[in-house]
Amino acid sequence: MFVSECDAAPLSNLDYGFDYSSWLEAGETITTSLWEVSPSVTLSNEQNLEGICSVFVEVTTSGTLYKLTNTITTSDNRVDSRSIVLSCKHR
């Protein structure tokens, strides 16, 4: 699992994503992309284009850490999961 961290201001609605293109084998594609976030917030605009999966995340509460995880399955039935921790604080 790949984990990264970044900051987000309260009430922001920003896009986050992962680029799997260099990890995919030649001719392999992403067939499913599942996003999860804890604690729960609004996710929207999910995209899966040419090995890059992204989603918009609406963080709400200052002082909260949100763990956003993307789990993919590929056309070769390989599964990978990557996470990012969003630290919601005033900037």
Coordinates of all heavy atoms in Angstrom, one line a residue:
M1 N 0.8 -1.2 0.0 CA 0.0 0.0 0.0 C 0.9 1.2 0.0 O 1.8 1.3 0.7 CB -0.9 0.0 1.2 CG -1.8 1.2 1.3 SD -2.7 1.5 2.9 CE -3.5 0.0 3.1
F2 N 0.6 2.2 -0.9 CA 1.2 3.4 -1.0 C 0.4 4.4 -0.1 O -0.8 4.6 -0.3 CB 1.3 3.9 -2.4 CG 1.8 5.2 -2.7 CD1 3.1 5.5 -2.7 CD2 0.9 6.3 -2.8 CE1 3.6 6.8 -2.9 CE2 1.4 7.6 -3.1 CZ 2.8 7.8 -3.1
V3 N 1.1 5.2 0.8 CA 0.4 6.2 1.6 C 1.2 7.5 1.4 O 2.4 7.6 1.5 CB 0.4 5.8 3.1 CG1 -0.3 6.9 3.9 CG2 -0.4 4.5 3.2
S4 N 0.4 8.6 1.2 CA 0.9 9.9 1.1 C 0.1 10.8 2.0 O -1.0 10.5 2.5 CB 0.8 10.4 -0.3 OG 1.4 11.6 -0.5
E5 N 0.6 12.0 2.3 CA -0.2 13.0 3.1 C -0.2 14.3 2.4 O 0.7 14.7 1.7 CB 0.5 13.1 4.5 CG 0.5 11.9 5.3 CD 1.1 12.2 6.7 OE1 1.2 13.3 7.1 OE2 1.4 11.2 7.4
C6 N -1.3 15.1 2.7 CA -1.4 16.4 2.2 C -2.4 17.2 3.1 O -3.2 16.6 3.9 CB -1.8 16.5 0.7 SG -3.5 16.0 0.4
D7 N -2.4 18.5 2.9 CA -3.3 19.4 3.7 C -4.5 19.8 2.9 O -4.4 20.0 1.7 CB -2.6 20.6 4.2 CG -1.5 20.3 5.2 OD1 -1.6 19.3 5.9 OD2 -0.5 21.1 5.3
A8 N -5.6 20.0 3.5 CA -6.8 20.5 2.8 C -7.6 21.4 3.8 O -7.7 21.2 5.0 CB -7.8 19.4 2.5
A9 N -8.0 22.6 3.3 CA -8.7 23.5 4.1 C -10.2 23.1 4.4 O -10.8 22.4 3.5 CB -8.7 24.9 3.5
P10 N -10.8 23.4 5.5 CA -12.2 23.1 5.8 C -13.1 23.6 4.6 O -12.8 24.7 4.1 CB -12.5 23.8 7.1 CG -11.2 23.9 7.8 CD -10.2 24.1 6.6
L11 N -14.1 22.8 4.3 CA -15.1 23.1 3.3 C -14.5 23.2 1.8 O -15.1 23.6 0.9 CB -15.8 24.5 3.6 CG -16.5 24.5 4.9 CD1 -17.1 25.9 5.1 CD2 -17.5 23.4 5.1
S12 N -13.3 22.6 1.7 CA -12.7 22.5 0.3 C -13.3 21.3 -0.4 O -13.7 20.3 0.2 CB -11.2 22.5 0.4 OG -10.8 21.3 1.0
N13 N -13.4 21.4 -1.7 CA -13.8 20.3 -2.5 C -12.8 20.1 -3.7 O -12.9 20.8 -4.7 CB -15.2 20.6 -3.1 CG -15.8 19.4 -3.8 OD1 -15.4 18.3 -3.6 ND2 -16.7 19.6 -4.7
L14 N -11.8 19.3 -3.4 CA -10.6 19.2 -4.3 C -10.5 17.8 -4.9 O -11.0 16.8 -4.3 CB -9.4 19.6 -3.5 CG -9.3 21.0 -2.9 CD1 -8.1 21.1 -2.0 CD2 -9.4 22.0 -4.0
D15 N -9.8 17.7 -6.0 CA -9.6 16.4 -6.6 C -8.3 15.8 -6.1 O -7.3 16.5 -6.0 CB -9.6 16.5 -8.1 CG -8.6 17.5 -8.7 OD1 -8.4 18.5 -8.1 OD2 -8.1 17.2 -9.8
Y16 N -8.3 14.5 -5.9 CA -7.2 13.7 -5.5 C -7.2 12.4 -6.4 O -8.2 12.0 -6.8 CB -7.2 13.3 -4.0 CG -7.2 14.5 -3.1 CD1 -8.4 15.1 -2.7 CD2 -6.0 15.1 -2.7 CE1 -8.4 16.2 -1.9 CE2 -6.0 16.2 -1.9 CZ -7.2 16.7 -1.5 OH -7.2 17.8 -0.7
G17 N -6.0 11.9 -6.6 CA -5.9 10.7 -7.4 C -4.6 10.0 -7.4 O -3.6 10.5 -6.8
F18 N -4.6 8.9 -8.1 CA -3.4 8.1 -8.2 C -3.1 7.7 -9.7 O -4.1 7.4 -10.4 CB -3.5 6.8 -7.4 CG -3.6 7.1 -5.9 CD1 -4.8 7.0 -5.3 CD2 -2.5 7.4 -5.1 CE1 -5.0 7.2 -3.9 CE2 -2.6 7.7 -3.8 CZ -3.9 7.6 -3.2
D19 N -1.8 7.7 -10.0 CA -1.5 7.4 -11.4 C -0.9 6.0 -11.3 O 0.2 5.8 -10.8 CB -0.4 8.4 -11.9 CG 0.0 8.1 -13.3 OD1 -0.3 7.1 -13.9 OD2 0.7 9.0 -13.9
Y20 N -1.6 5.0 -11.9 CA -1.2 3.6 -11.9 C -0.5 3.2 -13.2 O -0.1 2.1 -13.4 CB -2.4 2.7 -11.7 CG -3.1 2.8 -10.4 CD1 -4.1 3.6 -10.2 CD2 -2.7 2.0 -9.3 CE1 -4.8 3.7 -9.0 CE2 -3.3 2.1 -8.1 CZ -4.4 3.0 -7.9 OH -5.0 3.0 -6.7
S21 N -0.4 4.2 -14.1 CA 0.0 3.9 -15.5 C 1.4 3.2 -15.6 O 1.6 2.3 -16.4 CB 0.0 5.1 -16.4 OG 0.8 6.1 -15.9
S22 N 2.3 3.6 -14.8 CA 3.7 3.0 -14.8 C 3.7 1.6 -14.1 O 4.6 0.8 -14.4 CB 4.7 3.9 -14.2 OG 4.5 4.0 -12.8
W23 N 2.7 1.3 -13.3 CA 2.5 0.0 -12.6 C 1.8 -1.0 -13.5 O 2.1 -2.2 -13.4 CB 1.7 0.2 -11.3 CG 1.5 -1.0 -10.5 CD1 2.3 -1.6 -9.6 CD2 0.3 -1.7 -10.5 NE1 1.7 -2.6 -9.0 CE2 0.5 -2.8 -9.5 CE3 -1.0 -1.6 -11.1 CZ2 -0.5 -3.7 -9.2 CZ3 -1.9 -2.6 -10.8 CH2 -1.7 -3.6 -9.9
L24 N 1.0 -0.6 -14.4 CA 0.2 -1.5 -15.3 C 1.1 -2.1 -16.3 O 2.1 -1.5 -16.8 CB -0.9 -0.7 -16.0 CG -2.0 -0.2 -15.1 CD1 -2.9 0.8 -15.9 CD2 -2.8 -1.3 -14.5
E25 N 0.9 -3.4 -16.6 CA 1.6 -4.1 -17.7 C 1.1 -3.6 -19.0 O 0.0 -3.1 -19.1 CB 1.4 -5.6 -17.6 CG 1.9 -6.2 -16.3 CD 3.4 -6.2 -16.1 OE1 4.1 -6.3 -17.2 OE2 3.9 -6.2 -15.0
A26 N 1.9 -3.8 -20.1 CA 1.5 -3.5 -21.4 C 0.1 -4.1 -21.8 O -0.1 -5.3 -21.6 CB 2.5 -3.9 -22.4
G27 N -0.9 -3.3 -22.2 CA -2.2 -3.8 -22.6 C -3.1 -4.0 -21.4 O -4.3 -4.2 -21.6
E28 N -2.7 -3.9 -20.2 CA -3.5 -4.0 -19.0 C -4.3 -2.7 -18.7 O -3.7 -1.6 -18.9 CB -2.6 -4.4 -17.8 CG -3.4 -4.8 -16.6 CD -2.5 -5.2 -15.4 OE1 -1.3 -4.8 -15.4 OE2 -2.9 -5.9 -14.6
T29 N -5.5 -2.9 -18.3 CA -6.3 -1.7 -18.0 C -7.0 -1.8 -16.6 O -7.0 -3.0 -16.1 CB -7.5 -1.5 -19.0 OG1 -8.3 -2.7 -19.0 CG2 -6.9 -1.3 -20.4
I30 N -7.4 -0.7 -16.1 CA -8.1 -0.8 -14.8 C -9.6 -1.0 -15.1 O -10.2 -0.3 -15.8 CB -8.0 0.5 -14.0 CG1 -6.5 0.7 -13.7 CG2 -8.9 0.6 -12.8 CD1 -6.1 2.1 -13.1
T31 N -10.2 -2.1 -14.6 CA -11.6 -2.5 -14.8 C -12.5 -2.0 -13.7 O -13.6 -1.6 -14.0 CB -11.7 -4.0 -15.0 OG1 -11.2 -4.7 -13.8 CG2 -11.0 -4.5 -16.2
T32 N -12.0 -1.9 -12.5 CA -12.8 -1.3 -11.4 C -11.9 -0.4 -10.5 O -10.7 -0.7 -10.3 CB -13.5 -2.4 -10.5 OG1 -12.5 -3.2 -9.9 CG2 -14.4 -3.2 -11.3
S33 N -12.5 0.7 -10.0 CA -11.8 1.6 -9.1 C -12.8 1.9 -8.0 O -13.9 2.5 -8.3 CB -11.4 2.8 -9.9 OG -11.0 3.8 -9.0
L34 N -12.5 1.6 -6.8 CA -13.4 1.8 -5.7 C -12.7 2.8 -4.7 O -11.6 2.6 -4.3 CB -13.6 0.5 -4.9 CG -14.4 0.5 -3.6 CD1 -15.9 1.0 -3.9 CD2 -14.4 -0.8 -2.9
W35 N -13.4 3.8 -4.4 CA -12.9 4.8 -3.4 C -13.6 4.7 -2.1 O -14.9 4.5 -2.0 CB -13.2 6.2 -4.0 CG -12.4 6.6 -5.1 CD1 -12.7 6.5 -6.4 CD2 -11.0 7.1 -5.1 NE1 -11.6 6.9 -7.2 CE2 -10.6 7.3 -6.4 CE3 -10.1 7.4 -4.1 CZ2 -9.3 7.7 -6.7 CZ3 -8.9 7.9 -4.4 CH2 -8.5 8.1 -5.7
E36 N -12.9 4.8 -1.0 CA -13.4 4.8 0.4 C -12.7 5.9 1.1 O -11.6 6.2 0.9 CB -13.1 3.4 1.1 CG -13.8 2.2 0.4 CD -13.4 1.0 1.1 OE1 -14.1 0.5 2.0 OE2 -12.3 0.4 0.6
V37 N -13.5 6.5 2.1 CA -12.9 7.5 2.9 C -13.4 7.4 4.3 O -14.6 7.0 4.6 CB -13.2 9.0 2.4 CG1 -14.7 9.3 2.4 CG2 -12.4 10.0 3.1
S38 N -12.5 7.6 5.3 CA -12.9 7.5 6.7 C -12.2 8.6 7.5 O -11.0 8.9 7.3 CB -12.4 6.1 7.3 OG -12.7 6.0 8.6
P39 N -13.0 9.4 8.3 CA -14.5 9.3 8.4 C -15.2 9.7 7.1 O -14.6 10.4 6.3 CB -14.8 10.2 9.6 CG -13.6 11.2 9.6 CD -12.4 10.4 9.1
S40 N -16.4 9.4 7.0 CA -17.2 9.5 5.8 C -17.4 11.0 5.5 O -17.7 11.8 6.3 CB -18.5 8.9 5.9 OG -19.3 9.0 4.8
V41 N -17.1 11.4 4.2 CA -17.4 12.7 3.6 C -17.9 12.5 2.2 O -17.9 11.3 1.7 CB -16.2 13.6 3.6 CG1 -15.8 14.0 5.0 CG2 -15.0 13.0 2.9
T42 N -18.3 13.5 1.6 CA -18.9 13.4 0.2 C -17.8 13.2 -0.8 O -16.8 14.0 -0.9 CB -19.7 14.7 -0.2 OG1 -20.7 14.9 0.8 CG2 -20.2 14.6 -1.6
L43 N -17.9 12.2 -1.6 CA -17.0 11.9 -2.8 C -17.9 12.1 -4.0 O -19.0 11.7 -4.1 CB -16.5 10.5 -2.7 CG -15.7 10.0 -1.5 CD1 -15.3 8.6 -1.6 CD2 -14.5 10.9 -1.3
S44 N -17.2 12.7 -5.1 CA -18.0 12.9 -6.3 C -17.0 12.9 -7.5 O -15.8 12.9 -7.3 CB -18.7 14.2 -6.3 OG -17.8 15.3 -6.1
N45 N -17.6 12.9 -8.7 CA -16.8 13.0 -9.9 C -15.7 11.9 -10.1 O -14.6 12.3 -10.4 CB -16.2 14.4 -10.0 CG -16.7 15.2 -11.2 OD1 -17.7 14.7 -11.8 ND2 -16.2 16.3 -11.4
E46 N -16.0 10.7 -9.7 CA -15.0 9.6 -9.9 C -14.6 9.5 -11.3 O -15.5 9.5 -12.2 CB -15.5 8.3 -9.3 CG -15.7 8.4 -7.8 CD -16.3 7.1 -7.3 OE1 -15.9 6.0 -7.8 OE2 -17.1 7.1 -6.4
Q47 N -13.3 9.3 -11.6 CA -12.8 9.1 -13.0 C -11.7 8.0 -13.0 O -11.0 7.9 -12.1 CB -12.2 10.4 -13.6 CG -13.3 11.5 -13.7 CD -12.8 12.7 -14.5 OE1 -11.8 12.6 -15.2 NE2 -13.4 13.8 -14.4
N48 N -11.7 7.3 -14.1 CA -10.7 6.3 -14.4 C -10.3 6.4 -15.9 O -11.0 5.9 -16.7 CB -11.3 4.9 -14.1 CG -10.4 3.8 -14.5 OD1 -9.3 4.0 -14.9 ND2 -11.0 2.6 -14.5
L49 N -9.2 7.2 -16.1 CA -8.8 7.4 -17.5 C -7.4 7.1 -17.7 O -6.5 7.6 -17.0 CB -9.0 8.9 -17.8 CG -10.5 9.5 -17.7 CD1 -10.5 11.0 -17.8 CD2 -11.3 8.8 -18.8
E50 N -7.1 6.2 -18.6 CA -5.7 5.8 -19.0 C -4.8 5.5 -17.8 O -3.7 6.0 -17.8 CB -5.2 6.9 -19.9 CG -6.0 7.1 -21.2 CD -5.5 8.1 -22.1 OE1 -4.4 8.7 -21.8 OE2 -6.1 8.4 -23.1
G51 N -5.3 4.8 -16.9 CA -4.5 4.4 -15.7 C -4.4 5.4 -14.6 O -3.7 5.2 -13.6
I52 N -5.2 6.4 -14.7 CA -5.2 7.4 -13.6 C -6.6 7.5 -13.0 O -7.6 7.7 -13.8 CB -4.8 8.8 -14.1 CG1 -3.4 8.8 -14.7 CG2 -5.0 9.9 -13.0 CD1 -3.0 10.1 -15.4
C53 N -6.7 7.2 -11.7 CA -8.0 7.2 -11.0 C -8.0 8.5 -10.1 O -7.1 8.8 -9.4 CB -8.2 6.0 -10.2 SG -8.2 4.5 -11.2
S54 N -9.2 9.2 -10.2 CA -9.3 10.4 -9.4 C -10.7 10.5 -8.8 O -11.6 9.9 -9.3 CB -8.9 11.6 -10.2 OG -9.8 11.8 -11.2
V55 N -10.9 11.4 -7.8 CA -12.1 11.6 -7.2 C -12.1 13.0 -6.5 O -11.0 13.5 -6.1 CB -12.5 10.5 -6.2 CG1 -11.6 10.6 -5.0 CG2 -13.9 10.6 -5.7
F56 N -13.2 13.7 -6.5 CA -13.3 14.9 -5.7 C -13.7 14.6 -4.3 O -14.6 13.8 -4.1 CB -14.3 15.9 -6.3 CG -13.7 16.7 -7.4 CD1 -13.5 16.2 -8.7 CD2 -13.3 18.1 -7.2 CE1 -13.0 17.0 -9.7 CE2 -12.8 18.8 -8.2 CZ -12.6 18.3 -9.5
V57 N -13.1 15.2 -3.3 CA -13.3 15.0 -1.9 C -13.7 16.3 -1.2 O -13.0 17.3 -1.4 CB -12.1 14.4 -1.2 CG1 -12.4 14.2 0.3 CG2 -11.6 13.2 -1.9
E58 N -14.9 16.3 -0.5 CA -15.3 17.5 0.2 C -15.1 17.3 1.7 O -15.8 16.6 2.4 CB -16.8 17.7 -0.1 CG -17.3 19.0 0.5 CD -18.8 19.2 0.2 OE1 -19.3 18.7 -0.8 OE2 -19.5 19.9 1.1
V59 N -13.9 17.9 2.1 CA -13.6 17.8 3.6 C -14.3 18.9 4.3 O -14.6 19.9 3.8 CB -12.1 17.9 3.8 CG1 -11.4 16.7 3.2 CG2 -11.5 19.2 3.3
T60 N -14.7 18.6 5.6 CA -15.6 19.5 6.3 C -15.0 20.1 7.6 O -15.2 21.2 7.9 CB -16.9 18.9 6.5 OG1 -16.7 17.6 7.2 CG2 -17.6 18.6 5.2
T61 N -14.4 19.2 8.4 CA -14.2 19.6 9.8 C -12.7 19.8 10.0 O -11.9 18.9 9.9 CB -14.7 18.5 10.7 OG1 -16.0 18.2 10.4 CG2 -14.6 18.9 12.2
S62 N -12.4 21.0 10.5 CA -11.0 21.4 10.8 C -10.5 20.5 12.0 O -11.2 20.2 12.9 CB -10.9 22.8 11.3 OG -9.6 23.2 11.5
G63 N -9.2 20.1 11.9 CA -8.6 19.2 12.9 C -8.9 17.7 12.7 O -8.5 16.9 13.5
T64 N -9.5 17.4 11.6 CA -9.8 16.0 11.3 C -8.8 15.4 10.3 O -8.4 16.1 9.3 CB -11.2 15.9 10.8 OG1 -12.1 16.4 11.7 CG2 -11.6 14.4 10.5
L65 N -8.4 14.2 10.5 CA -7.6 13.4 9.5 C -8.6 12.5 8.7 O -9.4 11.8 9.3 CB -6.5 12.6 10.2 CG -5.4 13.3 10.9 CD1 -4.5 12.3 11.5 CD2 -4.7 14.2 9.9
Y66 N -8.5 12.6 7.4 CA -9.3 11.7 6.5 C -8.4 10.8 5.8 O -7.5 11.2 5.2 CB -10.1 12.6 5.5 CG -11.1 13.5 6.2 CD1 -10.7 14.9 6.5 CD2 -12.4 13.1 6.5 CE1 -11.6 15.7 7.0 CE2 -13.3 14.0 7.0 CZ -12.9 15.3 7.3 OH -13.8 16.2 7.9
K67 N -8.7 9.5 5.8 CA -8.0 8.5 5.1 C -8.8 8.2 3.8 O -9.9 7.6 3.9 CB -7.7 7.3 5.9 CG -6.8 6.3 5.1 CD -6.5 5.1 6.0 CE -5.7 4.1 5.2 NZ -5.5 2.8 5.9
L68 N -8.2 8.5 2.7 CA -8.8 8.2 1.4 C -8.1 7.1 0.7 O -6.9 7.1 0.5 CB -8.7 9.5 0.5 CG -9.3 9.4 -0.9 CD1 -10.8 9.2 -0.9 CD2 -8.9 10.7 -1.7
T69 N -8.8 6.0 0.4 CA -8.2 4.8 -0.2 C -8.8 4.5 -1.6 O -10.1 4.5 -1.7 CB -8.3 3.6 0.7 OG1 -7.7 3.9 2.0 CG2 -7.7 2.4 0.1
N70 N -8.0 4.2 -2.5 CA -8.5 3.7 -3.9 C -8.0 2.3 -4.1 O -6.8 2.0 -3.9 CB -7.9 4.7 -4.9 CG -8.3 4.3 -6.3 OD1 -7.5 4.1 -7.2 ND2 -9.6 4.1 -6.6
T71 N -8.9 1.4 -4.3 CA -8.6 0.0 -4.6 C -9.0 -0.3 -6.1 O -10.2 0.0 -6.4 CB -9.3 -0.9 -3.7 OG1 -8.9 -0.6 -2.3 CG2 -8.9 -2.4 -3.9
I72 N -8.1 -0.8 -6.8 CA -8.4 -1.1 -8.2 C -8.2 -2.6 -8.5 O -7.5 -3.3 -7.8 CB -7.4 -0.3 -9.2 CG1 -6.0 -0.7 -9.0 CG2 -7.6 1.2 -9.1 CD1 -5.1 -0.5 -10.2
T73 N -8.9 -3.0 -9.5 CA -8.8 -4.3 -10.1 C -8.5 -4.1 -11.6 O -9.1 -3.3 -12.2 CB -10.0 -5.2 -9.9 OG1 -10.3 -5.3 -8.5 CG2 -9.8 -6.6 -10.5
T74 N -7.5 -4.9 -12.1 CA -7.1 -4.7 -13.5 C -7.7 -5.9 -14.4 O -8.2 -6.9 -13.9 CB -5.6 -4.7 -13.6 OG1 -5.1 -6.1 -13.5 CG2 -5.0 -3.8 -12.7
S75 N -7.5 -5.7 -15.7 CA -8.0 -6.7 -16.7 C -7.2 -8.0 -16.5 O -7.7 -9.0 -17.0 CB -7.8 -6.1 -18.1 OG -6.5 -5.7 -18.3
D76 N -6.1 -8.0 -15.8 CA -5.4 -9.2 -15.6 C -5.7 -9.8 -14.2 O -5.0 -10.6 -13.6 CB -3.8 -9.0 -15.7 CG -3.4 -8.7 -17.1 OD1 -4.2 -9.1 -18.0 OD2 -2.3 -8.3 -17.3
N77 N -6.7 -9.2 -13.5 CA -7.2 -9.6 -12.2 C -6.2 -9.3 -11.1 O -6.2 -10.0 -10.1 CB -7.6 -11.1 -12.1 CG -8.9 -11.3 -12.9 OD1 -9.8 -10.5 -12.8 ND2 -9.0 -12.4 -13.7
R78 N -5.3 -8.3 -11.3 CA -4.4 -7.9 -10.2 C -5.2 -6.8 -9.4 O -6.0 -6.0 -10.0 CB -3.1 -7.3 -10.8 CG -2.3 -8.3 -11.5 CD -0.9 -7.9 -11.8 NE -0.8 -6.6 -12.5 CZ 0.2 -5.8 -12.4 NH1 1.2 -6.1 -11.7 NH2 0.2 -4.7 -13.1
V79 N -4.9 -6.7 -8.1 CA -5.5 -5.8 -7.2 C -4.5 -5.0 -6.6 O -3.4 -5.5 -6.1 CB -6.4 -6.5 -6.2 CG1 -7.0 -5.5 -5.2 CG2 -7.5 -7.3 -6.9
D80 N -4.7 -3.6 -6.5 CA -3.7 -2.8 -5.8 C -4.6 -1.7 -5.0 O -5.7 -1.4 -5.4 CB -2.8 -2.1 -6.7 CG -1.6 -1.4 -6.0 OD1 -1.3 -1.8 -4.9 OD2 -1.1 -0.4 -6.6
S81 N -4.0 -1.3 -3.9 CA -4.7 -0.3 -3.1 C -3.7 0.8 -2.7 O -2.5 0.5 -2.3 CB -5.1 -1.0 -1.8 OG -6.4 -0.6 -1.4
R82 N -4.1 2.1 -2.8 CA -3.2 3.2 -2.4 C -4.1 4.2 -1.6 O -5.3 4.3 -1.8 CB -2.7 3.9 -3.7 CG -1.8 3.0 -4.5 CD -1.2 3.6 -5.7 NE -0.5 2.7 -6.5 CZ 0.2 2.9 -7.6 NH1 0.2 4.2 -8.0 NH2 0.8 2.0 -8.2
S83 N -3.4 4.8 -0.6 CA -4.1 5.7 0.3 C -3.4 7.0 0.4 O -2.2 7.1 0.2 CB -4.2 5.0 1.7 OG -5.0 3.9 1.7
I84 N -4.2 8.0 0.8 CA -3.6 9.3 1.1 C -4.4 9.8 2.4 O -5.5 9.5 2.6 CB -3.8 10.3 0.0 CG1 -3.1 11.6 0.2 CG2 -5.3 10.5 -0.4 CD1 -3.0 12.5 -1.0
V85 N -3.6 10.4 3.3 CA -4.2 11.0 4.5 C -4.3 12.5 4.3 O -3.4 13.2 4.0 CB -3.4 10.7 5.7 CG1 -4.0 11.4 7.0 CG2 -3.3 9.2 5.9
L86 N -5.6 13.0 4.4 CA -5.8 14.4 4.2 C -6.0 15.0 5.6 O -6.8 14.6 6.4 CB -7.1 14.7 3.5 CG -7.3 14.0 2.1 CD1 -8.6 14.2 1.5 CD2 -6.2 14.4 1.2
S87 N -5.2 16.0 5.9 CA -5.2 16.7 7.2 C -6.0 18.0 7.0 O -5.6 18.9 6.3 CB -3.8 17.0 7.6 OG -3.8 17.8 8.8
C88 N -7.2 18.1 7.6 CA -8.0 19.2 7.4 C -7.7 20.3 8.4 O -7.9 20.1 9.6 CB -9.5 18.8 7.5 SG -10.6 20.1 7.2
K89 N -7.2 21.4 7.9 CA -6.8 22.5 8.8 C -6.9 23.8 8.1 O -6.7 23.9 6.8 CB -5.4 22.3 9.4 CG -4.3 22.2 8.4 CD -3.0 21.8 9.1 CE -1.9 21.5 8.2 NZ -0.7 21.1 8.8
H90 N -7.1 24.9 8.8 CA -7.1 26.2 8.2 C -5.7 26.6 7.6 O -4.7 26.3 8.3 CB -7.5 27.3 9.2 CG -8.9 27.2 9.6 ND1 -10.0 27.6 8.8 CD2 -9.5 26.6 10.7 CE1 -11.1 27.3 9.4 NE2 -10.9 26.7 10.5
R91 N -5.7 27.1 6.4 CA -4.4 27.5 5.8 C -4.3 29.0 5.9 O -5.2 29.8 5.8 CB -4.3 27.1 4.4 CG -4.3 25.6 4.2 CD -4.0 25.3 2.8 NE -5.1 24.6 2.2 CZ -5.1 24.2 1.0 NH1 -4.1 24.4 0.2 NH2 -6.1 23.5 0.5

